[in-house]
C-alpha cells in the first residue's frame, strides 16, 4: 500500500477542480476557433497562406477594397476608367480560336452535305441554314467568353464562422461572444486553482514527486517507455508514486505547458496587445500566439487521452481509489464515486450549454459581470500604447460586413452624406449631434493598429 502522503486531500480536490475547468476551457476554446477556423504564423492573414484550416470555404483572392469599389461603381452605374476591363472576363484567345476552328470544320461538313444533297436530288438549300446556324453558335460562344460578368461578392470575415455542434463547442452554434465569455470566465478559476496547487505543492513538499532533480531521469524515462512499448508496466522510481516517464510528463504539463498556455492566451488579448505591444512580439505576433495556443491544446488533449489509458492499464480500481481516498482501499466504492462524478460533470456541461442557448443575454451578463471586474483591477490604469510601423500593414483586409444597400443609405450617399449625423449619448457628460463637416473640422489623429 502506498504512503497516503503521496495523495493528500488538497491534491485530490485540486485535481478534480482542474478536470472541471479544463473540460470547460477545451469546449469553449473550440467554440472560439470555429469563429475563424484558420491558423497563421504571421499577422498578415491573407487567404491561402494559413498553415492549417478547418473549413472548406473558398475566399476570393481579390483585394476587398477593389471588390468594394467595383460594387459601388456598378450600383451607381458610373464605371471608372478601368471598370470595363475589370467587369469583363479576360478574353481567352485560345478558346476563341478553337471555337472558330470548329465553325470552319462545321462549314466544310455542311458543304459536303450540300453537295451530296444536290447529287441525290434533294433541296440545294440544306447547307445554307446549317451554315448560318453554325456561324451564329460560334459567334455566341465567342461572345460569352468575354461577356460582362457581375463583380465577385464581397466575402466577409463573418462568413468564416462555422456552426459548431453543442456536443463539441460551448455553447455551440455560431456563438463567438458567449464562447469567449465562458473561456475567460473559466480561465480565472483555472488559474486560481493552479496557483493554489503550486503554493500547496511547495508548502507540503510534494514538488519532490513532480520536479526532476537529476539528469538520470532521462535514461530512466526511456526505459519506462520501452517497457510500455513491450506491454510491460514500468517500475516506480524509488520512494515515489510514479515511474520516470510519468514524472517527466506531470512536470511538463504542470510547470511548463499550463503556464505557456496562459501566456499565449494573454498574447491574443486586444487589451494586452494595446497596452503591452512588446509582449506580443515575444511570440511573433498575435496570430503566431494563436497557433501556439492551439498546438498546446492538442498536447493537453493527447495528455488526457494517454493519462486515462495509463490509469486503466495500471488498474482502474486501484488508481481511482488512490485519487479518491488517498490509499488503495474500497476500490468498488471508488469506481462508483468516479462514475457519479463523471455523470455530474456531464450534467454540468449540459446545463451550461442549455442555459447559454436558451438565455444568451442573461448568461452573458452574469459571466461578464465577473470578467469586467477582473479586467478593471488588472488593466484599468494602463493606457493604450499600440502603434505599428507602416510596413506592418497587412496586404489583405478581412471585411467585417457587407456594404449597405438600403434606400436610406443610398439617399445619404446621393447627397454626399450632408444629412448624416453622429449622435453621442448614454453615459456621457454632454450629449452631441455632429455632422460629417463638424467631424472633419476636429483635430485629426492617425494610428496604425
Amino acid at each position: 500500500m502506498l504512503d497516503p502522503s503521496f495523495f493528500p486531500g488538497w491534491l485530490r480536490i485540486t485535481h478534480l477542480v482542474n478536470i472541471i475547468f479544463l473540460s470547460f476551457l477545451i469546449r469553449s476554446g473550440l467554440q472560439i476557433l470555429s469563429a475563424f477556423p484558420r491558423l497563421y504564423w504571421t499577422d498578415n492573414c491573407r487567404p491561402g497562406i494559413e498553415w492549417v484550416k478547418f473549413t472548406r470555404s473558398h475566399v476570393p483572392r481579390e483585394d476587398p477594397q477593389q471588390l468594394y469599389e467595383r460594387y459601388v461603381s456598378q450600383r451607381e452605374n458610373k464605371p471608372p476608367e478601368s471598370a470595363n476591363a475589370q467587369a469583363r472576363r479576360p478574353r481567352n484567345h485560345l478558346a476563341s480560336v478553337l471555337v472558330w476552328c470548329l465553325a470552319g470544320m462545321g462549314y466544310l461538313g455542311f458543304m459536303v452535305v450540300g453537295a451530296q444533297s444536290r447529287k441525290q436530288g434533294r433541296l440545294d438549300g440544306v447547307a445554307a441554314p446549317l451554315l448560318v446556324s453554325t456561324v451564329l453558335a460560334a459567334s455566341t460562344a465567342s461572345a460569352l467568353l468575354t461577356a460582362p460578368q457581375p463583380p465577385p461578392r464581397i466575402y466577409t470575415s463573418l462568413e468564416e464562422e462555422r456552426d459548431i455542434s453543442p456536443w463539441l463547442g460551448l455553447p455551440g452554434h455560431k456563438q463567438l461572444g458567449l464562447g469567449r465569455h465562458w473561456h475567460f470566465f473559466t480561465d480565472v478559476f483555472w488559474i486560481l486553482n493552479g496557483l493554489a496547487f503550486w503554493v500547496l505543492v511547495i508548502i507540503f513538499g510534494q514538488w519532490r514527486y513532480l520536479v526532476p532533480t537529476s539528469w538520470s531521469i532521462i535514461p530512466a524515462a526511456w526505459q519506462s517507455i520501452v517497457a510500455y512499448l513491450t506491454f510491460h508496466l514500468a517500475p516506480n522510481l524509488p520512494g515515489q508514486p510514479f515511474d520516470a516517464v510519468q514524472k517527466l510528463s506531470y512536470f511538463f504539463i504542470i510547470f511548463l505547458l499550463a503556464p505557456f498556455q496562459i501566456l499565449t492566451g494573454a498574447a491574443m488579448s486586444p487589451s494586452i496587445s494595446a497596452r503591452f505591444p512588446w509582449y506580443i512580439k515575444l511570440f511573433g505576433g498575435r496570430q503566431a500566439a494563436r497557433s501556439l495556443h492551439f498546438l498546446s491544446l492538442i498536447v493537453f488533449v493527447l495528455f488526457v487521452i494517454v493519462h486515462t489509458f495509463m490509469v486503466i492499464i495500471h488498474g482502474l480500481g486501484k488508481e481511482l481509489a488512490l485519487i479518491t481516498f488517498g490509499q488503495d482501499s474500497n476500490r468498488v466504492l471508488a469506481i462508483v464515486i468516479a462514475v457519479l462524478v463523471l455523470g455530474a460533470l456531464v450534467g454540468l456541461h449540459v446545463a451550461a450549454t442549455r442555459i447559454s442557448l436558451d438565455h444568451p443575454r442573461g448568461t452573458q451578463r452574469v459571466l461578464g459581470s465577473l470578467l469586467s471586474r477582473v479586467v478593471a483591477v488588472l488593466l484599468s490604469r494602463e493606457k493604450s500604447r499600440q502603434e505599428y510601423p507602416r510596413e506592418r500593414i497587412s496586404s489583405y483586409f478581412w471585411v467585417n460586413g457587407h456594404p449597405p444597400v438600403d434606400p436610406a443609405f443610398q439617399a445619404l450617399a446621393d447627397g454626399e452624406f450632408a444629412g448624416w449625423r453622429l449622435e453621442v449619448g448614454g453615459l456621457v457628460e454632454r450629449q452631441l449631434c455632429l455632422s460629417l463637416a463638424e467631424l472633419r473640422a476636429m483635430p485629426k489623429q492617425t494610428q496604425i493598429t
Side-chain angles (χ1 to χ4, degrees):
M1 183 178 297
L2 291 175
D3 186 350
S5 64
F6 289 151
F7 303 98
W10 59 264
L11 186 146
R12 303 198 299 272
I13 293 174
T14 53
H15 184 271
L16 174 61
V17 173
N18 182 70
I19 293 175
I20 296 173
F21 291 143
L22 188 59
S23 62
F24 272 77
L25 284 174
I26 291 174
R27 289 189 63 216
S28 57
L30 293 176
Q31 180 76 54
I32 297 173
L33 177 64
S34 69
F36 191 67
R38 299 172 187 266
L39 294 171
Y40 297 83
W41 290 115
T42 66
D43 286 339
N44 182 8
C45 300
R46 190 172 189 88
I49 67 171
E50 63 274 354
W51 67 272
V52 66
K53 64 177 182 178
F54 304 96
T55 175
R56 295 182 179 179
S57 61
H58 173 70
V59 183
R61 296 298 178 90
E62 294 88 349
D63 189 278
Q65 179 65 24
Q66 295 178 359
L67 293 180
Y68 178 72
E69 291 174 355
R70 289 165 60 184
Y71 168 85
V72 172
S73 66
Q74 185 185 57
R75 185 187 63 190
E76 296 178 351
N77 199 21
K78 298 176 182 178
E81 294 181 3
S82 59
N84 241 0
Q86 291 178 352
R88 296 176 67 88
R89 187 178 294 175
R91 180 182 293 273
N92 191 327
H93 297 285
L94 178 60
S96 299
V97 171
L98 291 176
V99 168
W100 284 105
C101 286
L102 291 175
M105 293 174 62
Y107 171 74
L108 294 176
F110 293 142
M111 291 295 292
V112 173
V113 172
Q116 291 179 347
S117 65
R118 286 193 297 272
K119 289 180 181 180
Q120 297 175 4
R122 296 179 181 176
L123 295 176
D124 292 338
V126 172
L130 294 175
L131 175 60
V132 172
S133 301
T134 303
V135 173
L136 289 176
S139 302
T140 302
S142 180
L144 287 175
L145 292 173
T146 55
Q149 301 293 326
R153 66 182 181 86
I154 297 177
Y155 190 92
T156 72
S157 59
L158 297 178
E159 296 178 66
E160 280 289 286
E161 188 171 8
R162 302 295 96 185
D163 190 304
I164 189 171
S165 170
W167 290 97
L168 189 61
L170 177 65
H173 302 307
K174 295 183 178 182
Q175 295 282 353
L176 171 61
L178 274 177
R180 287 167 60 92
H181 272 67
W182 272 115
H183 201 70
F184 301 150
F185 176 85
T186 309
D187 254 331
V188 173
F189 294 99
W190 185 62
I191 293 174
L192 291 177
N193 182 68
L195 291 175
F197 177 83
W198 275 19
V199 171
L200 293 171
V201 158
I202 296 174
I203 291 176
F204 292 99
Q206 294 289 123
W207 64 270
R208 298 191 304 271
Y209 306 136
L210 300 171
V211 180
T213 56
S214 172
W215 288 107
S216 62
I217 195 172
I218 301 298
W222 173 249
Q223 294 175 3
S224 298
I225 293 174
V226 172
Y228 287 121
L229 292 177
T230 55
F231 303 101
H232 294 85
L233 295 180
N236 289 348
L237 293 170
Q240 299 195 23
F242 313 122
D243 59 57
V245 71
Q246 286 176 311
K247 183 170 184 174
L248 277 181
S249 300
Y250 295 148
F251 170 76
F252 172 75
I253 293 294
I254 296 171
F255 296 103
L256 297 179
L257 186 62
F260 183 76
Q261 190 77 324
I262 296 171
L263 296 176
T264 55
M268 291 184 285
S269 167
S271 298
I272 298 295
S273 63
R275 292 164 173 83
F276 310 105
W278 58 267
Y279 178 76
I280 313 301
K281 296 178 182 178
L282 297 177
F283 301 95
R286 183 184 298 176
Q287 292 301 323
R290 187 169 180 260
S291 294
L292 293 172
H293 198 71
F294 171 77
L295 292 175
S296 298
L297 168 66
I298 298 299
V299 176
F300 259 115
V301 173
L302 291 176
F303 171 78
V304 170
I305 294 174
V306 174
H307 181 60
T308 304
F309 178 73
M310 295 292 286
V311 168
I312 295 174
I313 65 174
H314 276 84
L316 183 61
K318 170 192 168 185
E319 295 296 323
L320 290 179
L322 290 174
I323 201 61
T324 302
F325 304 116
Q327 55 186 349
D328 186 8
S329 62
N330 300 319
R331 294 186 178 185
V332 176
L333 180 58
I335 294 176
V336 172
I337 293 176
V339 171
L340 293 176
V341 170
L342 182 61
L345 178 60
V346 173
L348 196 60
H349 276 275
V350 172
T353 303
R354 192 70 271 161
I355 293 173
S356 299
L357 294 178
D358 292 344
H359 308 283
R361 276 299 180 195
T363 305
Q364 188 173 10
R365 282 194 296 269
V366 172
L367 299 178
S369 62
L370 172 68
L371 295 176
S372 60
R373 290 185 176 90
V374 173
V375 173
V377 170
L378 297 178
L379 301 172
S380 61
R381 298 183 180 180
E382 296 292 336
K383 294 183 179 180
S384 176
R385 296 180 176 86
Q386 185 176 221
E387 180 69 37
Y388 293 92
R390 183 167 293 276
E391 59 267 18
R392 291 288 304 277
I393 296 178
S394 175
S395 60
Y396 184 90
F397 179 73
W398 285 88
V399 182
N400 286 331
H402 290 282
V405 295
D406 57 284
F409 177 83
Q410 184 61 52
L412 287 171
D414 294 339
E416 297 184 352
F417 298 96
W420 177 82
R421 295 293 183 272
L422 172 65
E423 296 183 2
V424 182
L427 299 177
V428 295
E429 294 181 358
R430 184 165 59 95
Q431 296 188 358
L432 298 173
C433 184
L434 304 172
S435 66
L436 189 59
E438 291 172 327
L439 285 172
R440 287 173 173 167
M442 290 182 173
K444 184 179 180 181
Q445 177 182 351
T446 61
Q447 185 179 14
I448 300 175
T449 60

